[in-house]
Amino acid sequence: TKDDIVATNKAEKLNPGDVGYTDPDSALAIVVPGWEISDDDPVEKWNAILEHPQIVFARTSPQQKLVIVSNCQRVGHVVAVTGDGVNDSPALKKADIGVAMGIAGTPVTKNAADMILLDDNFASIVAGVEEGRLIFDNLKKSICYTLTSNIPEISPFLCWITMMTPMPLSTVLILAIDLGTDMVPAISMAYEDAEADIMKRPPRNAATDHLVTSKLICLAYLQIGVMQ
């Protein structure tokens, strides 16, 4: 932290410009006590604080926790807040995801939270995030696989209507394809294992990264569907 660098420079009697002197402003970590946080702090101060990759906020009040969450969201971070007391409820509600303790948490905190840790183990948060990403990925795979069969199924009908070619697929055959060959593989994709980089990805943007996107439609209809 900045204080550690200042103490090291002082202990080694180093001044700015000396060999081995470290600029305190270059510290990667910062500790911000609650008495240094107020509601009317300028944006520049918060930008300087949040530029550090490692930040510790100590002895903060419920209102200060709310200010911390708001400023982190302002710069584009996806914020998760954990808590077990009534004073944590405002920050839990404000955060993108509020995590309450299932054993030590109060009923008010549990009602304000989006997730409840039944075992009060923070490692369960990581497991829950991984499982949620796995379910989301597998659902997208299943939907994409199901949509790819629409193009080869409707193409013979379009050719039959426009060019009067013989119709190769009847309604019964299309139903047989959908129920017999599409449903089982699509369901099996729900049981696929997680990708190797599933926990290395940044959080998805809930406003744009939906379950069915234009990219998925183009992949299913214009690429795989056409090749089929």
Side-chain angles (χ1 to χ4, degrees):
T1 63
K2 183 175 181 179
D3 294 336
D4 294 332
I5 295 176
V6 171
T8 301
N9 290 335
K10 185 176 180 181
E12 297 179 1
K13 299 181 179 179
L14 297 174
N15 297 317
D18 294 342
V19 178
Y21 175 81
T22 304
D23 186 4
D25 293 332
S26 64
L28 297 178
I30 185 173
V31 178
V32 183
W35 57 80
E36 294 184 2
I37 301 174
S38 62
D39 295 342
D40 55 352
D41 285 335
V43 175
E44 292 76 13
K45 176 182 177 180
W46 277 104
N47 290 340
I49 293 174
L50 297 176
E51 284 177 354
H52 296 79
Q54 303 172 16
I55 310 171
V56 175
F57 295 98
R59 297 187 178 277
T60 54
S61 65
Q63 179 60 29
Q64 290 169 339
K65 294 177 183 178
L66 198 59
V67 173
I68 294 170
V69 172
S70 299
N71 280 279
C72 288
Q73 291 176 330
R74 178 182 56 80
V75 297
H77 294 307
V78 177
V79 183
V81 175
T82 61
D84 57 2
V86 177
N87 59 342
D88 297 321
S89 299
L92 288 172
K93 197 70 176 178
K94 176 66 175 175
D96 295 289
I97 177 170
V99 184
M101 303 295 108
I103 300 175
T106 61
V108 176
T109 307
K110 295 178 182 178
N111 290 332
D114 302 296
M115 178 192 298
I116 299 176
L117 294 180
L118 298 179
D119 55 358
D120 285 10
N121 185 3
F122 289 126
S124 300
I125 299 177
V126 180
V129 170
E130 183 177 3
E131 187 67 23
R133 292 185 176 187
L134 173 61
I135 293 173
F136 189 85
D137 285 353
N138 288 348
L139 279 174
K140 294 192 75 169
K141 293 175 184 177
S142 297
I143 293 172
C144 183
Y145 178 82
T146 304
L147 293 178
T148 54
S149 62
N150 291 345
I151 295 297
E153 286 175 356
I154 199 173
S155 297
F157 280 95
L158 295 178
C159 293
W160 175 60
I161 294 172
T162 57
M163 295 182 290
M164 299 301 294
T165 59
M167 187 171 63
L169 292 176
S170 64
T171 306
V172 176
L173 285 177
I174 291 178
L175 286 175
I177 292 173
D178 288 338
L179 299 178
T181 63
D182 279 358
M183 185 177 295
V184 175
I187 294 175
S188 67
M189 288 186 177
Y191 297 93
E192 282 199 351
D193 295 332
E195 303 291 341
D197 64 339
I198 191 168
M199 293 304 291
K200 297 179 181 178
R201 309 174 197 163
R204 68 183 181 89
N205 188 347
T208 57
D209 191 4
H210 301 295
L211 197 59
V212 178
T213 60
S214 57
K215 182 179 179 181
L216 185 143
I217 295 295
C218 292
L219 175 65
Y221 285 158
L222 302 182
Q223 295 184 33
I224 303 177
V226 172
M227 288 188 292
Q228 285 185 346

